[in-house]
Amino acid sequence: MIPARYGASRFPGKLMKDLAGKPVIVRTYEAAKSTNLFDEVYVVTDSEVIFNEIEKHGGLAIMSQQEHSCGSDRIAEAVENMDIDVVVNVQGDEPFTDRESLEKVLAVFNQADADKIDLASLMAEIDDWNEINDPNTVKVIVDKDDFALYFSRSPIPFPRDKNVDVKYYKHRGIYAFRKEAIMDFYRLPMRHLEATEKIECLRYLEYGKNIKMAVSNSGSVEIDTPEDLVKANKMLKAKEVSKPPVNDKYRNFPMVPKVVYGPGCFDKLPTILAKKRKEKAPFIFLVDDVFENNNEFINRIPLRFNDKLIFMSAETEPTTYQVDELVSTIKSEFVNLPSGIIGIGGGTLLDLAKAVSIMLTNPGGAADYQGWDLVKNEAVYHVGIPTISGTGAEVSRTTVLLGPERKLGINSDFTPFDQVVLDPDLCIGVPKDQWFFTGMDCFIHCVESLNGTFLNAFSQSYGEKAYDMCLDIFLHDTLTESEARGQLMMASWHGGMSIAYSQVGVAHAMSYGLSYVLGIKHGVGNCIVFQFLDEFYPEDVKIFRKMVEKHQIEIPQHVCANLTEDQMETMISVSMGMVPLWENALGKDWEHVVTRKKLRNLYSKM
Ligand code: NAD
Ligand code: ZN
């Protein structure tokens, strides 16, 4: 039930304001409906305008017959003659009420103590003192079984000793009521505590009802002011691009169709490309500028006709801006689409090559495609040739880019390379630290995949092999240098295959925060984070430390020491935003374990 009053005092008519092409209330309705959690979804309203709008969009609406002082009363009137077990209230002005929160508030009715529950609601941990002290934020305390003890606008509990480790939770206004509970509320008069604090749900406690609280830290945006609406319009856009695949249980996963392996196999490239050359259409070679003065290597690149060689720096993480620039250079210089794009280098160059090949055939800018399955047109033929191993970028379905608003991959069926050339000899000359940082990306992919809740036999088969190879390479002294190069190249491939069907985990979620705020490169960021993850991957962190010591690697220290409060908050938000990664690492209830406070503590150590 979505109670919807037309005349909100602070922002009149807000529910009918436009939110990315539809009225706010329609957005809320569709969001609730699309969770598939409910048998029916209704808007209950006092306004014919809202009623008609919902019907026009094919939704169900009910007109209230009476004046009501609050949303619960409006719902109670509507459900009085309906045959229902549980009714959930969704706020009309919260168009982003997410499936996860609603799922959590409903899940409590399937637990062992369900008989005792009259209604359920949500709480989210808060750790900012301003928010804890803010009377507009309602705090809640619970007993050992998460039943609410009290709600208040004061900070509860009061910490007598300021250093005591206490958690604060704010109340989120989403409820799931048993029908009797909401009908009682309708009939029973308000009492002292409710009148004093002006908190509706105190009425239930005052009449001895049991309110079960579930934790949900995912954010919600209420639309209370015109500024909120502007923010919501932006958020909706962001949400639409970053929605992970709905059906990710049986993913139909694209693979690289052609791959050649072996020391020296780079020289097969002319033969491979000859078959793909189209008339007057050049091959564009994007090459890491570390090779710029390496004539011996440059001479092996088969440039013919109007082919073009572009050197790119891998100094910084690849950006959507770089991709757009490259595409516009290529388009302005050549009338025909290129025969192909060849990326030669580490993860950075491979990702640039994948993204450029996509953007040559798709309109707009690269940032428009950051997310899952947003690419419409098949990419230009593209070839990946790694010169350093570990990222798995040569085999993955994504190209990770730093955009104006987020660091996120262009994840699509058109992203994987059409051809990969795996020549371990190209990795000769990688500096030791870099070899380690990129190699550890592979080790960490395996650890996160193998310890994740998404693991299946497909991922496991690749993950275990790659994990063992990493130990041989970085821990045991059993391989010659040249053997180790070949092994690491294949470990990278297998590690990439392993996460393709599962997901990465805690280290990546936190490392993305470091990259986004401080521009720290992926491999280094992973290592900075991983050493502090004993709680999540105890045995593997021990092994990791041994490998660091054995190879005498200096991992950057204290990178978070001088963060501003804003930066820290952003870092935590970026990390918490990687929901699929946390879910893989810790399961659906990850928010019980990972709180903003915990991440702050961890980041402070780095
Ligand atoms: P990189 O491409 O950033 O290169 C790291 C350094 O190694 C650079 O200075 C580069 O010049 C140098 N280098 C590369 N080959 C060399 C050689 N043969 N000799 C000497 N120096 C050489 O490193 P990376 O760790 O391979 O890639 C990191 C990037 O990969 C990040 O941007 C990350 O986001 C991305 N990534 C992508 C995926 C994916 O699936 N698409 C997965 C993981 C990481
Ligand atoms: Zn990685």
Side-chain angles (χ1 to χ4, degrees):
M1 290 280 167
I2 309 173
R5 190 162 68 93
Y6 189 85
S9 49
R10 276 199 282 176
F11 185 5
K14 65 179 179 180
L15 295 181
M16 285 303 294
K17 297 276 186 228
D18 180 78
L19 180 52
K22 291 179 186 171
V24 171
I25 187 67
V26 174
R27 289 274 169 202
T28 309
Y29 185 87
E30 289 179 351
K33 186 91 189 157
S34 72
T35 62
N36 289 325
L37 290 169
F38 308 108
D39 297 318
E40 300 291 358
V41 177
Y42 292 93
V43 165
V44 198
T45 183
D46 60 352
S47 146
E48 276 182 33
V49 179
I50 292 178
F51 182 90
N52 292 336
E53 192 66 26
I54 294 297
E55 294 228 309
K56 193 173 100 195
H57 282 88
L60 298 172
I62 298 174
M63 283 298 286
S64 316
Q65 302 304 315
Q66 292 160 29
E67 284 284 306
H68 293 293
S69 59
C70 66
S72 310
D73 283 351
R74 203 177 290 288
I75 294 179
E77 185 206 308
V79 300
E80 192 162 14
N81 297 314
M82 285 187 188
D83 179 22
I84 54 161
D85 306 317
V86 173
V87 54
V88 176
N89 88 318
V90 173
Q91 309 280 13
D93 58 0
E94 289 197 15
F96 300 110
T97 306
D98 53 320
R99 181 190 162 91
E100 211 187 318
S101 300
L102 296 171
E103 223 170 15
K104 283 189 170 157
V105 80
L106 282 171
V108 301
F109 292 98
N110 294 324
Q111 292 163 3
D113 57 4
D115 286 355
K116 280 197 273 172
I117 301 172
D118 296 305
L119 67 153
S121 191
L122 293 176
M123 58 186 185
E125 191 180 351
I126 47 175
D127 58 7
D128 174 355
W129 256 107
N130 292 328
E131 198 176 5
I132 294 167
N133 271 320
D134 182 354
N136 291 317
T137 304
V138 173
K139 274 69 66 177
V140 55
I141 45 175
V142 294
D143 71 8
K144 71 177 195 351
D145 299 318
D146 286 342
F147 282 98
L149 292 169
Y150 192 62
F151 297 86
S152 180
R153 296 181 186 277
S154 300
I156 44 173
F158 180 84
R160 202 188 97 158
D161 173 359
K162 291 292 174 211
N163 295 324
V164 71
D165 185 27
V166 42
K167 282 191 178 177
Y168 286 90
Y169 291 96
K170 73 170 168 194
H171 181 212
R172 292 186 54 198
I174 294 175
Y175 299 94
F177 306 89
R178 286 198 190 281
K179 184 175 173 183
E180 309 86 81
I182 197 165
M183 294 320 297
D184 281 354
F185 181 86
Y186 192 33
R187 293 182 196 114
L188 297 168
M190 186 188 293
R191 296 190 55 84
H192 294 335
L193 292 173
E194 181 186 354
T196 311
E197 296 249 19
K198 300 252 178 331
I199 300 175
E200 257 178 64
C201 52
L202 283 173
R203 192 178 311 178
Y204 298 102
L205 293 182
E206 290 185 86
Y207 286 101
K209 305 273 182 211
N210 294 323
I211 310 181
K212 179 86 166 186
M213 303 299 294
V215 179
S216 169
N217 290 330
S218 48
S220 73
V221 177
E222 253 176 74
I223 298 185
D224 271 338
T225 62
E227 296 78 57
D228 290 344
L229 191 63
V230 172
K231 210 162 87 184
N233 264 301
K234 274 197 185 155
M235 265 190 72
L236 196 70
K237 193 152 178 273
K239 223 180 157 87
E240 278 176 356
V241 298
S242 61
K243 217 183 321 176
V246 192
N247 171 18
D248 54 7
K249 189 168 175 211
Y250 304 114
R251 286 173 51 205
N252 195 3
F253 182 67
M255 300 233 212
V256 173
K258 290 212 156 188
V259 54
V260 50
Y261 172 84
C265 75
F266 182 68
D267 292 328
K268 289 284 286 184
L269 194 58
T271 328
I272 291 169
L273 295 185
K275 297 191 186 109
K276 295 289 173 184
R277 187 178 289 281
K278 295 188 192 134
E279 205 179 335
K280 296 199 185 121
F283 279 107
I284 312 286
F285 295 84
L286 299 179
V287 182
D288 192 312
D289 67 1
V290 74
F291 295 106
E292 196 159 7
N293 298 315
N294 183 339
N295 287 328
E296 196 214 332
F297 180 70
I298 302 297
N299 289 334
R300 291 169 69 199
I301 297 177
L303 291 173
R304 309 274 187 275
F305 310 105
N306 57 349
D307 290 353
K308 188 177 172 75
L309 179 61
I310 304 175
F311 288 108
M312 296 291 297
S313 163
E315 201 60 42
T316 54
E317 299 267 301
T319 63
T320 53
Y321 176 78
Q322 280 179 307
V323 173
D324 294 342
E325 286 277 286
L326 282 165
V327 169
S328 100
T329 308
I330 295 168
K331 281 191 170 167
S332 64
E333 200 167 320
F334 301 98
V335 185
N336 297 320
L337 271 185
S339 294
I341 305 294
I342 324 300
I344 304 180
T348 303
L349 266 292
L350 298 181
D351 278 356
L352 282 172
K354 291 199 253 190
V356 167
S357 72
I358 288 170
M359 292 314 300
L360 280 166
T361 55
N362 285 277
D368 301 336
Y369 298 92
Q370 285 179 286
W372 277 267
D373 300 306
L374 300 169
V375 180
K376 298 281 180 304
N377 305 321
E378 196 168 327
V380 164
Y381 174 76
H382 48 302
V383 180
I385 308 182
T387 64
I388 181 170
S389 307
T391 63
E394 66 280 10
V395 73
S396 78
R397 185 186 184 268
T398 187
T399 154
V400 187
L401 300 173
L402 205 57
E405 282 167 36
R406 61 190 75 90
K407 182 182 172 189
L408 189 64
I410 299 180
N411 211 305
S412 83
D413 278 355
F414 304 120
T415 309
F417 286 113
D418 298 295
Q419 168 81 57
V420 170
V421 176
L422 296 177
D423 181 346
D425 281 356
L426 299 184
C427 304
I428 295 174
V430 171
K432 190 177 82 177
D433 277 19
Q434 188 61 55
W435 163 79
F436 187 84
F437 291 136
T438 302
M440 282 303 112
D441 193 22
C442 175
F443 175 72
I444 294 170
H445 290 162
C446 299
V447 170
E448 295 185 320
S449 172
L450 292 170
N451 290 285
T453 59
F454 296 175
L455 190 69
N456 61 17
F458 186 100
S459 302
Q460 191 175 3
S461 66
Y462 288 105
E464 283 177 351
K465 183 68 198 167
Y467 181 89
D468 289 347
M469 285 165 128
C470 285
L471 295 190
D472 284 345
I473 298 158
F474 293 102
L475 195 62
H476 312 139
D477 265 324
T478 49
L479 304 171
T480 66
E481 255 183 50
S482 120
E483 282 169 344
R485 274 196 300 275
Q487 294 269 336
L488 186 52
M489 195 156 252
M490 289 322 298
S492 173
W493 181 276
H494 280 70
M497 288 299 295
S498 180
I499 43 172
Y501 222 115
S502 64
Q503 198 31 286
V504 279
V506 182
H508 276 75
M510 293 198 69
S511 157
Y512 268 51
L514 290 179
S515 293
Y516 187 84
V517 176
L518 297 172
I520 293 178
K521 295 213 66 182
H522 183 72
V524 183
N526 282 348
C527 289
I528 293 175
V529 172
F530 199 71
Q531 46 182 340
F532 295 106
L533 300 186
D534 308 74
E535 175 182 344
F536 304 101
Y537 310 114
E539 289 313 308
D540 294 306
V541 172
K542 274 187 214 147
I543 293 175
F544 173 78
R545 291 208 190 95
K546 274 191 204 153
M547 299 193 287
V548 171
E549 200 176 314
K550 181 177 162 81
H551 298 286
Q552 301 182 340
I553 304 295
E554 296 277 346
I555 297 175
Q557 306 283 327
H558 310 305
V559 295
C560 294
N562 298 316
L563 287 187
T564 64
E565 182 53 30
D566 262 8
Q567 285 179 312
M568 178 59 97
E569 281 293 315
T570 307
M571 204 178 265
I572 296 170
S573 296
V574 168
S575 180
M576 296 276 283
M578 310 303 293
V579 174
L581 281 62
W582 291 112
E583 265 188 32
N584 174 45
L586 304 165
K588 278 251 173 257
D589 283 336
W590 63 273
E591 283 167 303
H592 277 291
V593 184
V594 174
T595 59
R596 298 186 72 87
K597 194 169 172 184
K598 175 166 247 156
L599 290 189
R600 177 183 292 269
N601 273 338
L602 280 168
Y603 276 131
S604 311
K605 291 186 200 163
M606 294 174 191

